[in-house]
Amino acid sequence: MITVNPDGKIMVRRCLVTLRPFRLFVLGIGFFSLCFLMTSLGGQFSARRPGDSPFTIRTEVLGGPESRGVLRKMSDLLELMVKRMDTLARLENSSELHRAAGDGRFAVDRFPPGAGLMERIQAIAQNVSDIAVKVDQILRHSLLLHSKVSEGRRDQCEAPSDPKFPDCSGKVEWMRARWTSDPCYAFFGVDGTECSFLIYLSEVEWFCPPLPWRNQTAAPRASKPLPKVQAVFRSNLSHLLELMGSGKESLIFMKKRTKRLTVQWALAAQRLARKLGDVQRDQKQILVHIGFLTEESGDVFSPRVLKGGPLGEMVQWADILAALYVLGHGLRITVSLKELQSNLGVPPGRGNCPLTMPLPFDLVYTDYHGLQQMKQHMGLSFKKYRCRIRVIDTFGTEPAYNHEEYATLHGYRTNWGYWNLNPKQFMTMFPHTPDNSFMGFVSEELNETEKQLIKGGKAGNMAVVYGKDASIWKLQGKEKFLSILNKYMEVHGTVYYESQRPPEVPAFVKNHGLLPQPEFQQLLRKAKLFIGFGFPYEGPAPLEAIANGCVFLQSRFSPPHSSLNHEFFRGKPTSREVFSQHPYAENFIGKPHVWTVDYNNSEEFEAAIKAIMGTQVDPYLPYEYTCEGMLERIHAYIQHQDFCAAPGLALPGAQAPRSPFVLAPNATHLQWARNASLAPGAWPPARSLRAWLAAAGRACTDACLDHGLVCEPSFFPLLNSQDAFQKLQVPCDSTESEMNHLYPAFAQPGQECFLQKEPLLFSCAGASTKYRRLCPCRDFRKGQVALCQDCL
């Protein structure tokens, strides 16, 4: 209980302190109610203005049930507020009376006659109710006015029958039934009327012709292209580290790697700049969206960074970011769906509408997760801009899996393919499929001093096992070949464990646990042998080991692993057969650095161990996996690859121009005629082309390698004609055009020639004993298989 001071002054102060918060609260409730009403309804009286930003467009809703629904909600809210406040008001008034009993002057001053707290609340409610009535009257007047205007335009708001827009009427029908299915339609001004449908379908999308009564000059004009800026090589990567952000273990790993390689990137940029000379390079605006790191895709990699999980993808992404930045291009990096939507200009809703602005990026690098997210949120803009996308695809996507219709009809559809992109838009970690572009990554390059130190510090009997995850050590039969290895070498492991030694690791293995990258490098510099168990496939670690002077020993697969017999490849958009754990190391490096043996053959395995112990090797790193090699390759792609240009593909037909080929002097293949002109801007230049007729059952990838060349799918259109078969003296009794990823080809039993009908199905991969495929091959730069001699 509160006592009253004789003079009443202290009591007044206490009452003021007690009363003010409550009355401010009541006043706030009234003010909030008024603001809520005006905010909810105020934007509905203004039509869309031509000069408004896409993010401030107001929806025109005239006196519909939505407006009255807001009024009803306000009325219910006020009634509930009055009921709940009644009890509080009684308690407060009662308290006021008790506290003011000894001071009549205070009570009179604070409460004018007839103005109790409950009356004030009811007055606020009445004021808001009066406003609601007036708003409803305005809405009714607007509805009447709108109906008159609609009568005048009724004939102008019917779906036109224009042969140039055959889908217009069907789209209008769809909008009638489904326009409320996504809030983005209302964001663009759709309100359920025929006119709003046609305005949207003609001005936001492009299915209907422009309405004649619309002010076309007020439509937002396409933004003028920014003046071209020349790209300048960068050597300071501190700003890139800021762009990469933080908060995820995966990003921390990538930033550490980038920081560690800063000096090598700077030296590589200097060397490439001297090589390119005065070549003009336009700066590109590039969005990099790493989809597999987003929370929406699960971000399974970040929690596993510190537990021995696979790091190959993060190694590659870190190097891609560094290469793009060092080349001097403008970068924006996103690892969340919210960031992606903001950078693309995605309208609010569920992703059915186009972007609110032209795509501000020349190129977008992403992965399959990011590709799916972009398709879900870009609406029709995805189809418009997909030619700018580059998909980082570790294992590759073959054309048969990429073409949606063909994949569905012929059993090639998987969870990862069917995107109908140009196959060269997929960029791989290793150059295992020429249908895609080889992106790659980098390994740390040693100078001559470091190489000599490594050679002098090698332990001739030390082996390191390739495998940080304990599950890799569960390989069946590993005990047999590990015991043989232990007879000759000291075996080391880097297997992750938390509290005790992983039970899968034999007792004789000296396990160091999961090592940071610099410490792992030091371990490799001491070791003689780096041995793989058969998994993981095609990771960066074997190249790092070879670059640090190790011999890499791996298992030969018989039969080869593929989607037909191995769970890891099942569902991936490739039919490639893998004959060893690391095909690139086997085919492009080979002995003495890489040995591939049958682990099930104890004698062969033991003989290989003895031979390796007596072999001296120098540290070796292929040029295409150096910083300079990656910069050179990505520069060539950005400079020359343009998948948005109108395709100049030669479709089969009687009127097809004669191919500019001549039969080689030895009559084995076609080559570019010396006097034949080159198509301007064509890349790779056609002068590097050599065309061979492969043996039956042989893929073009293998047929070109047999001649020391690589298959070049961009040359297929040049060969897709009867003339090419005739110059190769192939007896075609008939020639047909079909969709088939093996065409152009010659079927020998029936003397039939087949041409390709679908440009997206030109493929270096694939073989059949029924066909002899016509294969386009090209030369390549030493140590840079992705580029031809004249490609830079």
mmCIF file of all heavy atoms in Angstrom, residues 443-474:
data_model
loop_
_atom_site.group_PDB
_atom_site.id
_atom_site.type_symbol
_atom_site.label_atom_id
_atom_site.label_comp_id
_atom_site.label_asym_id
_atom_site.label_seq_id
_atom_site.Cartn_x
_atom_site.Cartn_y
_atom_site.Cartn_z
ATOM 1 N N SER A 443 47.390 -26.398 -58.244
ATOM 2 C CA SER A 443 48.207 -26.972 -57.172
ATOM 3 C C SER A 443 49.373 -26.033 -56.918
ATOM 4 O O SER A 443 49.821 -25.326 -57.830
ATOM 5 C CB SER A 443 48.715 -28.367 -57.552
ATOM 6 O OG SER A 443 47.672 -29.316 -57.529
ATOM 7 N N GLU A 444 49.862 -26.047 -55.693
ATOM 8 C CA GLU A 444 50.950 -25.140 -55.345
ATOM 9 C C GLU A 444 52.205 -25.491 -56.132
ATOM 10 O O GLU A 444 52.630 -26.650 -56.168
ATOM 11 C CB GLU A 444 51.212 -25.187 -53.843
ATOM 12 C CG GLU A 444 50.032 -24.680 -53.021
ATOM 13 C CD GLU A 444 50.355 -24.579 -51.544
ATOM 14 O OE1 GLU A 444 51.465 -24.111 -51.213
ATOM 15 O OE2 GLU A 444 49.503 -24.959 -50.729
ATOM 16 N N GLU A 445 52.789 -24.483 -56.746
ATOM 17 C CA GLU A 445 53.947 -24.669 -57.601
ATOM 18 C C GLU A 445 55.216 -24.379 -56.805
ATOM 19 O O GLU A 445 55.295 -23.379 -56.087
ATOM 20 C CB GLU A 445 53.844 -23.733 -58.807
ATOM 21 C CG GLU A 445 54.811 -24.041 -59.915
ATOM 22 C CD GLU A 445 54.548 -23.171 -61.136
ATOM 23 O OE1 GLU A 445 53.660 -22.308 -61.070
ATOM 24 O OE2 GLU A 445 55.239 -23.354 -62.146
ATOM 25 N N LEU A 446 56.230 -25.239 -56.951
ATOM 26 C CA LEU A 446 57.480 -25.086 -56.223
ATOM 27 C C LEU A 446 58.519 -24.398 -57.103
ATOM 28 O O LEU A 446 58.568 -24.622 -58.321
ATOM 29 C CB LEU A 446 58.010 -26.456 -55.789
ATOM 30 C CG LEU A 446 57.048 -27.345 -54.980
ATOM 31 C CD1 LEU A 446 57.707 -28.674 -54.665
ATOM 32 C CD2 LEU A 446 56.602 -26.649 -53.708
ATOM 33 N N ASN A 447 59.350 -23.585 -56.477
ATOM 34 C CA ASN A 447 60.481 -23.032 -57.219
ATOM 35 C C ASN A 447 61.635 -24.043 -57.209
ATOM 36 O O ASN A 447 61.572 -25.084 -56.539
ATOM 37 C CB ASN A 447 60.907 -21.681 -56.639
ATOM 38 C CG ASN A 447 61.262 -21.771 -55.155
ATOM 39 O OD1 ASN A 447 61.882 -22.733 -54.700
ATOM 40 N ND2 ASN A 447 60.865 -20.744 -54.388
ATOM 41 N N GLU A 448 62.706 -23.735 -57.902
ATOM 42 C CA GLU A 448 63.802 -24.685 -58.053
ATOM 43 C C GLU A 448 64.464 -24.987 -56.715
ATOM 44 O O GLU A 448 64.873 -26.128 -56.450
ATOM 45 C CB GLU A 448 64.819 -24.140 -59.052
ATOM 46 C CG GLU A 448 64.335 -24.120 -60.480
ATOM 47 C CD GLU A 448 63.897 -25.501 -60.958
ATOM 48 O OE1 GLU A 448 64.594 -26.491 -60.631
ATOM 49 O OE2 GLU A 448 62.851 -25.594 -61.643
ATOM 50 N N THR A 449 64.591 -23.980 -55.868
ATOM 51 C CA THR A 449 65.205 -24.213 -54.547
ATOM 52 C C THR A 449 64.393 -25.198 -53.730
ATOM 53 O O THR A 449 64.927 -26.132 -53.111
ATOM 54 C CB THR A 449 65.330 -22.883 -53.782
ATOM 55 O OG1 THR A 449 66.105 -21.964 -54.555
ATOM 56 C CG2 THR A 449 65.995 -23.104 -52.428
ATOM 57 N N GLU A 450 63.057 -25.005 -53.727
ATOM 58 C CA GLU A 450 62.184 -25.917 -52.985
ATOM 59 C C GLU A 450 62.238 -27.326 -53.551
ATOM 60 O O GLU A 450 62.227 -28.315 -52.800
ATOM 61 C CB GLU A 450 60.744 -25.386 -53.016
ATOM 62 C CG GLU A 450 60.543 -24.104 -52.209
ATOM 63 C CD GLU A 450 59.179 -23.492 -52.417
ATOM 64 O OE1 GLU A 450 58.653 -23.552 -53.549
ATOM 65 O OE2 GLU A 450 58.619 -22.954 -51.434
ATOM 66 N N LYS A 451 62.322 -27.446 -54.858
ATOM 67 C CA LYS A 451 62.407 -28.776 -55.473
ATOM 68 C C LYS A 451 63.664 -29.509 -55.039
ATOM 69 O O LYS A 451 63.639 -30.713 -54.757
ATOM 70 C CB LYS A 451 62.358 -28.640 -56.997
ATOM 71 C CG LYS A 451 61.014 -28.212 -57.549
ATOM 72 C CD LYS A 451 61.054 -28.093 -59.062
ATOM 73 C CE LYS A 451 59.699 -27.645 -59.608
ATOM 74 N NZ LYS A 451 59.730 -27.490 -61.091
ATOM 75 N N GLN A 452 64.808 -28.798 -54.978
ATOM 76 C CA GLN A 452 66.054 -29.432 -54.577
ATOM 77 C C GLN A 452 66.007 -29.848 -53.108
ATOM 78 O O GLN A 452 66.495 -30.924 -52.736
ATOM 79 C CB GLN A 452 67.222 -28.474 -54.815
ATOM 80 C CG GLN A 452 67.505 -28.188 -56.287
ATOM 81 C CD GLN A 452 67.782 -29.453 -57.087
ATOM 82 O OE1 GLN A 452 68.474 -30.367 -56.625
ATOM 83 N NE2 GLN A 452 67.222 -29.519 -58.296
ATOM 84 N N LEU A 453 65.394 -29.023 -52.268
ATOM 85 C CA LEU A 453 65.267 -29.378 -50.857
ATOM 86 C C LEU A 453 64.411 -30.628 -50.679
ATOM 87 O O LEU A 453 64.711 -31.477 -49.832
ATOM 88 C CB LEU A 453 64.663 -28.203 -50.078
ATOM 89 C CG LEU A 453 65.566 -26.981 -49.867
ATOM 90 C CD1 LEU A 453 64.789 -25.853 -49.206
ATOM 91 C CD2 LEU A 453 66.779 -27.346 -49.024
ATOM 92 N N ILE A 454 63.359 -30.728 -51.466
ATOM 93 C CA ILE A 454 62.475 -31.889 -51.373
ATOM 94 C C ILE A 454 63.217 -33.157 -51.790
ATOM 95 O O ILE A 454 63.132 -34.213 -51.140
ATOM 96 C CB ILE A 454 61.215 -31.679 -52.236
ATOM 97 C CG1 ILE A 454 60.298 -30.653 -51.564
ATOM 98 C CG2 ILE A 454 60.471 -32.992 -52.434
ATOM 99 C CD1 ILE A 454 59.083 -30.300 -52.387
ATOM 100 N N LYS A 455 63.955 -33.069 -52.872
ATOM 101 C CA LYS A 455 64.689 -34.248 -53.357
ATOM 102 C C LYS A 455 65.696 -34.733 -52.324
ATOM 103 O O LYS A 455 65.907 -35.945 -52.156
ATOM 104 C CB LYS A 455 65.398 -33.912 -54.666
ATOM 105 C CG LYS A 455 64.448 -33.750 -55.848
ATOM 106 C CD LYS A 455 65.180 -33.313 -57.094
ATOM 107 C CE LYS A 455 66.125 -34.385 -57.593
ATOM 108 N NZ LYS A 455 66.753 -34.002 -58.876
ATOM 109 N N GLY A 456 66.330 -33.793 -51.598
ATOM 110 C CA GLY A 456 67.309 -34.182 -50.597
ATOM 111 C C GLY A 456 66.700 -34.640 -49.291
ATOM 112 O O GLY A 456 67.359 -35.297 -48.493
ATOM 113 N N GLY A 457 65.422 -34.320 -49.043
ATOM 114 C CA GLY A 457 64.793 -34.657 -47.769
ATOM 115 C C GLY A 457 63.814 -35.803 -47.832
ATOM 116 O O GLY A 457 63.079 -36.051 -46.866
ATOM 117 N N LYS A 458 63.755 -36.524 -48.937
ATOM 118 C CA LYS A 458 62.804 -37.626 -49.079
ATOM 119 C C LYS A 458 63.203 -38.833 -48.237
ATOM 120 O O LYS A 458 64.381 -39.214 -48.180
ATOM 121 C CB LYS A 458 62.711 -38.062 -50.549
ATOM 122 C CG LYS A 458 61.870 -37.154 -51.416
ATOM 123 C CD LYS A 458 60.391 -37.263 -51.103
ATOM 124 C CE LYS A 458 59.540 -36.374 -51.972
ATOM 125 N NZ LYS A 458 58.122 -36.394 -51.597
ATOM 126 N N ALA A 459 62.227 -39.433 -47.582
ATOM 127 C CA ALA A 459 62.423 -40.705 -46.885
ATOM 128 C C ALA A 459 62.040 -41.820 -47.847
ATOM 129 O O ALA A 459 60.877 -41.946 -48.243
ATOM 130 C CB ALA A 459 61.572 -40.756 -45.623
ATOM 131 N N GLY A 460 62.994 -42.609 -48.236
ATOM 132 C CA GLY A 460 62.752 -43.593 -49.296
ATOM 133 C C GLY A 460 61.800 -44.697 -48.935
ATOM 134 O O GLY A 460 61.333 -45.427 -49.829
ATOM 135 N N ASN A 461 61.454 -44.840 -47.662
ATOM 136 C CA ASN A 461 60.566 -45.932 -47.263
ATOM 137 C C ASN A 461 59.314 -45.432 -46.564
ATOM 138 O O ASN A 461 58.774 -46.091 -45.678
ATOM 139 C CB ASN A 461 61.316 -46.899 -46.353
ATOM 140 C CG ASN A 461 61.721 -46.232 -45.046
ATOM 141 O OD1 ASN A 461 61.790 -45.007 -44.967
ATOM 142 N ND2 ASN A 461 61.986 -47.032 -44.022
ATOM 143 N N MET A 462 58.826 -44.253 -46.952
ATOM 144 C CA MET A 462 57.662 -43.660 -46.292
ATOM 145 C C MET A 462 56.509 -43.525 -47.280
ATOM 146 O O MET A 462 56.676 -42.966 -48.365
ATOM 147 C CB MET A 462 58.025 -42.281 -45.727
ATOM 148 C CG MET A 462 56.886 -41.547 -45.038
ATOM 149 S SD MET A 462 57.444 -39.964 -44.350
ATOM 150 C CE MET A 462 55.881 -39.246 -43.841
ATOM 151 N N ALA A 463 55.346 -44.041 -46.891
ATOM 152 C CA ALA A 463 54.145 -43.977 -47.735
ATOM 153 C C ALA A 463 53.024 -43.279 -46.976
ATOM 154 O O ALA A 463 52.864 -43.475 -45.765
ATOM 155 C CB ALA A 463 53.697 -45.366 -48.154
ATOM 156 N N VAL A 464 52.262 -42.453 -47.689
ATOM 157 C CA VAL A 464 51.085 -41.774 -47.129
ATOM 158 C C VAL A 464 49.854 -42.284 -47.864
ATOM 159 O O VAL A 464 49.846 -42.355 -49.103
ATOM 160 C CB VAL A 464 51.198 -40.242 -47.269
ATOM 161 C CG1 VAL A 464 49.918 -39.568 -46.770
ATOM 162 C CG2 VAL A 464 52.396 -39.721 -46.504
ATOM 163 N N VAL A 465 48.835 -42.643 -47.092
ATOM 164 C CA VAL A 465 47.605 -43.182 -47.683
ATOM 165 C C VAL A 465 46.665 -42.040 -48.028
ATOM 166 O O VAL A 465 46.464 -41.116 -47.238
ATOM 167 C CB VAL A 465 46.925 -44.170 -46.714
ATOM 168 C CG1 VAL A 465 45.597 -44.651 -47.293
ATOM 169 C CG2 VAL A 465 47.840 -45.349 -46.451
ATOM 170 N N TYR A 466 46.075 -42.109 -49.226
ATOM 171 C CA TYR A 466 45.106 -41.122 -49.715
ATOM 172 C C TYR A 466 43.746 -41.461 -49.114
ATOM 173 O O TYR A 466 43.101 -42.406 -49.522
ATOM 174 C CB TYR A 466 45.077 -41.180 -51.243
ATOM 175 C CG TYR A 466 44.122 -40.233 -51.934
ATOM 176 C CD1 TYR A 466 43.579 -39.117 -51.305
ATOM 177 C CD2 TYR A 466 43.781 -40.440 -53.272
ATOM 178 C CE1 TYR A 466 42.731 -38.257 -51.964
ATOM 179 C CE2 TYR A 466 42.932 -39.576 -53.950
ATOM 180 C CZ TYR A 466 42.408 -38.493 -53.296
ATOM 181 O OH TYR A 466 41.565 -37.626 -53.958
ATOM 182 N N GLY A 467 43.293 -40.686 -48.121
ATOM 183 C CA GLY A 467 41.988 -40.948 -47.516
ATOM 184 C C GLY A 467 41.907 -40.373 -46.120
ATOM 185 O O GLY A 467 42.541 -40.879 -45.198
ATOM 186 N N LYS A 468 41.121 -39.282 -45.945
ATOM 187 C CA LYS A 468 40.966 -38.643 -44.639
ATOM 188 C C LYS A 468 39.749 -39.160 -43.888
ATOM 189 O O LYS A 468 39.662 -39.030 -42.673
ATOM 190 C CB LYS A 468 40.847 -37.122 -44.828
ATOM 191 C CG LYS A 468 42.070 -36.468 -45.442
ATOM 192 C CD LYS A 468 41.798 -35.029 -45.808
ATOM 193 C CE LYS A 468 40.779 -34.935 -46.923
ATOM 194 N NZ LYS A 468 40.548 -33.550 -47.383
ATOM 195 N N ASP A 469 38.788 -39.708 -44.623
ATOM 196 C CA ASP A 469 37.552 -40.187 -44.011
ATOM 197 C C ASP A 469 37.715 -41.669 -43.672
ATOM 198 O O ASP A 469 38.183 -42.464 -44.492
ATOM 199 C CB ASP A 469 36.379 -39.989 -44.972
ATOM 200 C CG ASP A 469 35.036 -40.133 -44.274
ATOM 201 O OD1 ASP A 469 34.829 -41.168 -43.623
ATOM 202 O OD2 ASP A 469 34.189 -39.222 -44.397
ATOM 203 N N ALA A 470 37.295 -42.041 -42.466
ATOM 204 C CA ALA A 470 37.469 -43.425 -42.017
ATOM 205 C C ALA A 470 36.738 -44.420 -42.912
ATOM 206 O O ALA A 470 37.161 -45.574 -43.039
ATOM 207 C CB ALA A 470 36.991 -43.562 -40.571
ATOM 208 N N SER A 471 35.642 -43.967 -43.559
ATOM 209 C CA SER A 471 34.876 -44.893 -44.403
ATOM 210 C C SER A 471 35.697 -45.391 -45.597
ATOM 211 O O SER A 471 35.455 -46.488 -46.103
ATOM 212 C CB SER A 471 33.601 -44.209 -44.900
ATOM 213 O OG SER A 471 33.916 -43.087 -45.710
ATOM 214 N N ILE A 472 36.677 -44.591 -46.045
ATOM 215 C CA ILE A 472 37.503 -45.002 -47.179
ATOM 216 C C ILE A 472 38.346 -46.213 -46.820
ATOM 217 O O ILE A 472 38.673 -47.045 -47.677
ATOM 218 C CB ILE A 472 38.401 -43.823 -47.628
ATOM 219 C CG1 ILE A 472 37.520 -42.673 -48.119
ATOM 220 C CG2 ILE A 472 39.390 -44.230 -48.708
ATOM 221 C CD1 ILE A 472 38.278 -41.401 -48.450
ATOM 222 N N TRP A 473 38.668 -46.373 -45.548
ATOM 223 C CA TRP A 473 39.509 -47.480 -45.096
ATOM 224 C C TRP A 473 38.732 -48.793 -44.946
ATOM 225 O O TRP A 473 39.305 -49.813 -44.559
ATOM 226 C CB TRP A 473 40.161 -47.119 -43.761
ATOM 227 C CG TRP A 473 41.182 -46.029 -43.898
ATOM 228 C CD1 TRP A 473 40.952 -44.718 -44.156
ATOM 229 C CD2 TRP A 473 42.589 -46.168 -43.783
ATOM 230 N NE1 TRP A 473 42.128 -44.014 -44.208
ATOM 231 C CE2 TRP A 473 43.166 -44.885 -43.983
ATOM 232 C CE3 TRP A 473 43.452 -47.242 -43.525
ATOM 233 C CZ2 TRP A 473 44.530 -44.650 -43.934
ATOM 234 C CZ3 TRP A 473 44.809 -47.016 -43.462
ATOM 235 C CH2 TRP A 473 45.344 -45.734 -43.677
ATOM 236 N N LYS A 474 37.443 -48.753 -45.251
ATOM 237 C CA LYS A 474 36.630 -49.967 -45.150
ATOM 238 C C LYS A 474 36.669 -50.793 -46.429
ATOM 239 O O LYS A 474 35.911 -51.741 -46.584
ATOM 240 C CB LYS A 474 35.181 -49.602 -44.826
ATOM 241 C CG LYS A 474 35.000 -48.947 -43.458
ATOM 242 C CD LYS A 474 33.537 -48.579 -43.215
ATOM 243 C CE LYS A 474 33.362 -47.899 -41.866
ATOM 244 N NZ LYS A 474 31.944 -47.513 -41.618
#
